[in-house]
Amino acid sequence: QVQLVESGGGLVQAGGSLRLSCAASRSIFSGTSMGWYRQAPGKQRELVAAITSGGSTNYADSVKGRFTISRDNAKNTLYLQMNSLRPEDTAVYYCNVRFILQVYWGQGTQVTVSS
């Protein structure tokens, strides 16, 4: 069992920045991938950024160059640095950790970007 707790969401003006954190209850970086998803009202949940246990990253086209996913293995924490935020980034952001046979989700944190 892995518990994930997101933090760092809030209200920010367009062009501003936020850093989301996802704290895990135990080590999550062996044989896993980790990522951030988001879901806006009335829309499907979408992958924003992901990082593998080996450190490879990938991003949705809409956030490339603006968002950076990273991790701190010693702290069992996943981060999403979000810069140059746009109103279309408004969504609930969820932390995700994938094992071969299990997938874990946090409760989500609201990010609202005002125009």
Side-chain angles (χ1 to χ4, degrees):
Q1 184 179 358
V2 178
Q3 291 182 312
L4 306 174
V5 180
E6 301 100 332
S7 62
L11 176 64
V12 64
Q13 295 180 10
S17 298
L18 288 172
R19 189 179 76 161
L20 306 184
S21 298
C22 172
S25 60
R26 65 174 178 85
S27 178
I28 56 174
F29 303 111
S30 179
T32 67
S33 64
M34 293 71 66
W36 290 94
Y37 289 70
R38 67 186 182 189
Q39 187 167 24
K43 304 193 73 174
Q44 291 186 302
R45 189 171 299 183
E46 64 175 345
L47 177 67
V48 176
I51 185 168
T52 70
S53 59
S56 298
T57 60
N58 65 84
Y59 298 90
D61 288 342
S62 60
V63 307
K64 286 181 179 177
R66 300 189 297 120
F67 291 10
T68 303
I69 188 170
S70 62
R71 66 188 184 194
D72 186 332
N73 292 355
K75 300 293 184 182
N76 297 330
T77 301
L78 182 71
Y79 301 99
L80 184 68
Q81 179 67 46
M82 304 186 294
N83 298 326
S84 301
L85 283 162
R86 304 166 180 170
E88 56 261 41
D89 296 318
T90 295
V92 177
Y93 284 71
Y94 298 91
C95 176
N96 164 274
V97 177
R98 297 177 180 270
F99 297 87
I100 294 175
L101 298 177
Q102 297 283 350
V103 179
Y104 298 93
W105 294 91
Q107 293 297 309
T109 185
Q110 177 71 48
V111 172
T112 302
V113 184
S114 61
S115 60

